[in-house]
Amino acid sequence: MSNQPLPRITPFSQLPKARTGIEGLDEITDGGLPLGRPTLVCGSAGCGKTLLGIEFLVRGILDYDEPGVLMAFEETAAELSANVTSLGFDLPQLVADKKLRIDHVHIDRAEIDETGEYDLEGLFIRLGYAIDTIGAKRVVLDTIESLFSGFSNEAVLRSEIRRLFRWLKDKGVTTVITAERGEGTLTRQGLEEYVSDCVILLDNRVIDQITTRRLRIVKYRGSTHGTNEYPYIITEDGLSVLPVTSLKLEHTVSDEVVSTGVPDLDSMFRRGGLYQGSSTLVTGTAGTAKTTLASSFALEACRRGERCLFFVFEESPAQLLRNMATVGLELQPFVESGLLRIEASRPTLNGLERHLVTIHRIIGQFKPQTVIIDPISNLVSVGSHSEVSSMLTRLVDFLKVQGINALFTALVSGNRAQQEITDEGISSLVDTWIHVRDLEGVGERNRGISILKARGMAHSNQVREFEVSEKGIRLLDVLVGPTGIITGASRLAQHIQEQARYIAAEQEAERRDRDLERKRRVLEATIANLRTEFESVEEELRRVNSEEQQRHDSMAEERRQLGHTFSAHPPATPNGSGA
């Protein structure tokens, strides 16, 4: 066996990258686009290719002080500027500051057919001049189909595409080239994706009359990158991509405990509440006070001085505030103070990706310590179970990484209530699962609450009946009868029966006390009579003894006197002699 040491493995250096400044895109590209190399952005009409290119230039100028050139082949500078004004991008001002140069190149196929001459040499000169004029570091070509429409010879077309990409690399500018998607290929020519160092595919699809947008990194030479499809949206702030990150479960945890807002419910947890930064799911059928529980959670967070973000999919903010005020949960003062923010919308207003990115964006702006979504089950109407499960996985993970207290409510129905939630994948993700349900009695329905799971904390296994009154939620003591838990009118009947038994027991005790008192008085009278009789006998005996003693003394005195007399006068003897 050879004793020679194994050769050392030299770690590869990180590929230089240019950050795009687009929310989420730098994360899934592991730092940005390849620096000094061309990136192809392809997709169908309406997917935001041009917007991505323009935002790449604007963010580069504003955030990284890198001037850019936008060469457009379809829209004029005025049209492009007007299109992105609503996003807050002031292209004319950037042009005036000599940070951006917009060049519109008009290409007419009819003119090319007449002259018969067409190549890219003029484009290189024109683009090179624009780059050198402002010292551009970034370039966007929008779109490449118009540029190559003048080539009828496919061999020449392929040669010119390669030459363009080589020229851009030699120039050392980070370039974004947009292209329309072809039939069975990423682009119409089907070659650009092979010569590009990075290819980003944008997809705008319609499923069940709901538009969804997805982004995928098809290739990225020399760099790791996210390989999944990522939802993205176009908002008033530009393009936002939501990556699936932080799934390594490396978030920190806390031993601090926070209240649910319902003291009786807190007592069902061994530590008196929920862990800080944990996620909680409240499930139940319609009318089981899920929103009231969520509002109690929000109110308690605000009382602690925490910011709370409340997403509502079934009620308007005004309706929620009014309804909660009737059960003693006054949320309005905290809305006015800015601690509570209520975001209300119908789930069908947007697709899942827009809801998810919107939640991320608002959390980033508001920076809450508590987030509530009521209910998540409504999101099923805008996506399949797998899509909803994927969204909830990302959302729960995002909130955990941020250390945010999260509470979700979900509507369930029928005998498959728990199974439906399991299908959505949320029950296994959350730390605590609280279930509220109907407890049907004799001609009535009552509410019951139980804890199905609480990670890292002992908890009660009881099903507690609870009431919602003008003072909020109150859990009732567990009352067990021969057939199980007693609730509602049965609880009242049981209480009345117990009250009657208690009164009867009290009356029986009073009767026994009265009998005992009578016996005591009779006994005391008997004792008094016996004592009187004893005293009479004792007095009689004392009198008899006294008389007997007197007789005895009298007799003794008589004997003594008799003896004394006999001694003084002895009796005479016969014959007169004294002997």
Side-chain angles (χ1 to χ4, degrees):
M1 180 180 293
S2 175
N3 294 326
Q4 294 182 355
L6 296 174
R8 296 181 59 187
I9 299 177
T10 303
F12 292 101
S13 59
Q14 176 68 33
L15 181 72
K17 297 184 178 182
R19 299 188 67 84
T20 65
I22 297 174
E23 183 180 357
L25 184 57
D26 290 333
E27 197 168 351
I28 63 177
T29 55
D30 198 16
L33 303 182
L35 182 66
R37 300 185 183 187
T39 296
L40 180 66
V41 178
C42 52
S44 56
C47 61
K49 301 184 297 296
T50 302
L51 175 60
L52 187 148
I54 294 177
E55 187 168 356
F56 169 71
L57 292 178
V58 174
R59 300 296 181 193
I61 295 170
L62 299 179
D63 300 340
Y64 309 110
D65 194 25
E66 294 185 357
V69 172
L70 172 59
M71 182 165 281
F73 303 103
E74 293 182 345
E75 297 178 282
T76 64
E79 291 172 340
L80 291 170
S81 299
N83 292 343
V84 298
T85 299
S86 60
L87 304 178
F89 299 159
D90 190 352
L91 299 188
Q93 183 61 46
L94 296 178
V95 172
D97 295 338
K98 299 188 183 305
K99 295 292 185 179
L100 175 67
R101 188 179 181 96
I102 303 177
D103 193 358
H104 172 60
V105 179
H106 175 69
I107 299 176
D108 191 341
R109 179 63 185 268
E111 295 178 0
I112 297 173
D113 291 340
E114 291 178 4
T115 61
E117 298 179 0
Y118 183 77
D119 60 31
L120 299 183
E121 196 62 39
L123 174 70
F124 295 155
I125 296 173
R126 193 164 175 173
L127 184 56
Y129 175 76
I131 293 173
D132 296 337
T133 300
I134 62 174
K137 302 294 183 182
R138 303 185 178 203
V139 172
V140 171
L141 302 180
D142 182 49
T143 64
I144 199 171
E145 282 76 26
S146 299
L147 179 62
F148 291 128
S149 62
F151 292 102
S152 57
N153 189 316
E154 186 174 348
V156 176
L157 171 64
R158 291 175 176 272
S159 175
E160 289 298 301
I161 288 177
R162 290 191 179 94
R163 193 157 74 98
L164 172 62
F165 278 75
R166 174 49 55 189
W167 185 89
L168 292 170
K169 283 186 178 182
D170 294 341
K171 200 67 177 175
V173 290
T174 306
T175 308
V176 170
I177 302 173
T178 66
E180 294 181 6
R181 193 167 185 178
E183 293 293 335
T185 57
L186 295 178
T187 61
R188 290 187 179 180
Q189 279 73 35
L191 181 64
E192 298 93 323
E193 60 261 36
Y194 295 102
V195 296
S196 300
D197 290 87
C198 179
V199 178
I200 299 176
L201 176 63
L202 303 181
D203 187 20
N204 186 22
R205 66 189 73 160
V206 179
I207 302 175
D208 295 333
Q209 301 180 356
I210 298 175
T211 300
T212 59
R213 289 185 170 96
R214 296 289 187 273
L215 179 148
R216 180 165 65 93
I217 310 297
V218 178
K219 64 180 280 191
Y220 200 142
R221 287 174 180 161
S223 174
T224 58
H225 59 87
T227 58
N228 297 325
E229 279 194 331
Y230 304 96
Y232 72 95
I233 62 171
I234 299 173
T235 67
E236 62 276 7
D237 297 322
L239 192 140
S240 297
V241 185
L242 185 63
V244 184
T245 56
S246 307
L247 296 183
K248 296 181 181 179
L249 301 178
E250 295 176 347
H251 54 273
T252 59
V253 296
S254 172
D255 288 332
E256 183 181 352
V257 173
V258 296
S259 173
T260 63
V262 181
D264 295 333
L265 180 57
D266 291 339
S267 65
M268 296 181 69
F269 296 93
R270 183 62 56 87
R271 297 198 59 184
L274 307 172
Y275 283 123
Q276 169 71 34
S278 64
S279 54
T280 303
L281 173 67
V282 179
T283 61
T285 54
T288 50
K290 298 183 298 298
T291 301
T292 306
L293 282 168
S295 299
S296 300
F297 191 68
L299 181 61
E300 183 64 23
C302 293
R303 286 172 175 170
R304 294 194 298 267
E306 299 177 356
R307 290 175 176 266
C308 179
L309 184 58
F310 204 139
F311 291 95
V312 184
F313 292 140
E314 293 182 336
E315 300 177 278
S316 67
Q319 184 180 2
L320 177 67
L321 294 174
R322 182 204 64 186
N323 293 348
M324 293 304 103
T326 61
V327 293
L329 304 179
E330 295 291 344
L331 301 176
Q332 182 66 43
F334 296 104
V335 173
E336 296 173 354
S337 67
L339 283 178
L340 177 62
R341 178 172 175 177
I342 302 175
E343 292 288 331
S345 65
R346 286 292 182 187
T348 53
L349 177 64
N350 302 299
L352 282 176
E353 76 287 342
R354 187 174 184 88
H355 281 298
L356 191 53
V357 176
T358 300
I359 290 173
H360 274 240
R361 179 170 53 85
I362 296 177
I363 289 175
Q365 295 172 351
F366 189 60
K367 295 182 172 28
Q369 288 81 36
T370 299
V371 170
I372 299 171
I373 300 181
D374 176 43
I376 58 172
S377 48
N378 280 21
L379 297 173
V380 178
S381 61
V382 291
S384 64
H385 278 293
S386 61
E387 290 174 334
V388 173
S389 177
S390 176
M391 172 193 172
L392 295 176
T393 300
R394 300 177 186 188
L395 181 58
V396 170
D397 180 69
F398 171 74
L399 296 174
K400 281 190 176 183
V401 170
Q402 300 295 323
I404 295 174
N405 298 315
L407 186 140
F408 312 98
T409 69
L411 175 67
V412 294
S413 59
N415 296 328
R416 297 185 67 253
Q418 296 182 7
Q419 182 65 33
E420 289 175 1
I421 293 300
T422 303
D423 290 344
E424 292 174 13
I426 184 66
S427 60
S428 61
L429 296 175
V430 296
D431 300 304
T432 305
W433 185 359
I434 299 172
H435 186 60
V436 287
R437 60 177 176 173
D438 292 321
L439 302 176
E440 296 188 4
V442 181
E444 64 178 10
R445 296 171 60 208
N446 301 289
R447 299 183 179 101
I449 188 169
S450 61
I451 302 172
L452 298 185
K453 83 171 194 177
R455 284 180 180 148
M457 186 182 300
H459 56 88
S460 172
N461 64 347
Q462 293 179 326
V463 178
R464 298 278 299 274
E465 183 185 2
F466 69 95
E467 296 178 341
V468 180
S469 65
E470 65 278 1
K471 296 182 180 179
I473 294 177
R474 181 176 68 92
L475 272 64
L476 306 179
D477 294 332
V478 176
L479 188 60
V480 181
T483 60
I485 298 177
I486 299 175
T487 63
S490 299
R491 174 188 287 270
L492 180 60
Q494 180 76 7
H495 178 71
I496 293 174
Q497 291 176 2
E498 291 181 353
Q499 189 78 4
R501 287 195 294 268
Y502 176 76
I503 293 174
E506 281 190 335
Q507 292 175 346
E508 179 64 21
E510 291 176 356
R511 185 187 64 78
R512 289 196 299 267
D513 289 342
R514 289 194 299 270
D515 289 344
L516 183 62
E517 178 64 20
R518 284 194 296 268
K519 290 180 179 180
R520 184 184 63 79
R521 289 198 296 267
V522 170
L523 181 60
E524 288 179 350
T526 302
I527 293 173
N529 292 334
L530 291 175
R531 183 177 291 110
T532 301
E533 184 178 352
F534 174 78
E535 290 175 351
S536 298
V537 172
E538 184 182 31
E539 184 179 358
E540 181 65 21
L541 288 175
R542 193 178 293 114
R543 184 184 61 80
V544 170
N545 290 338
S546 176
E547 290 177 353
E548 187 69 25
Q549 184 67 33
Q550 288 177 358
R551 284 195 301 270
H552 177 75
D553 293 343
S554 177
M555 291 176 65
E557 179 63 22
E558 290 177 356
R559 283 194 300 268
R560 185 183 63 77
Q561 291 179 357
L562 182 60
H564 180 70
T565 303
F566 183 80
S567 299
H569 304 281
T573 59
N575 302 320
S577 60

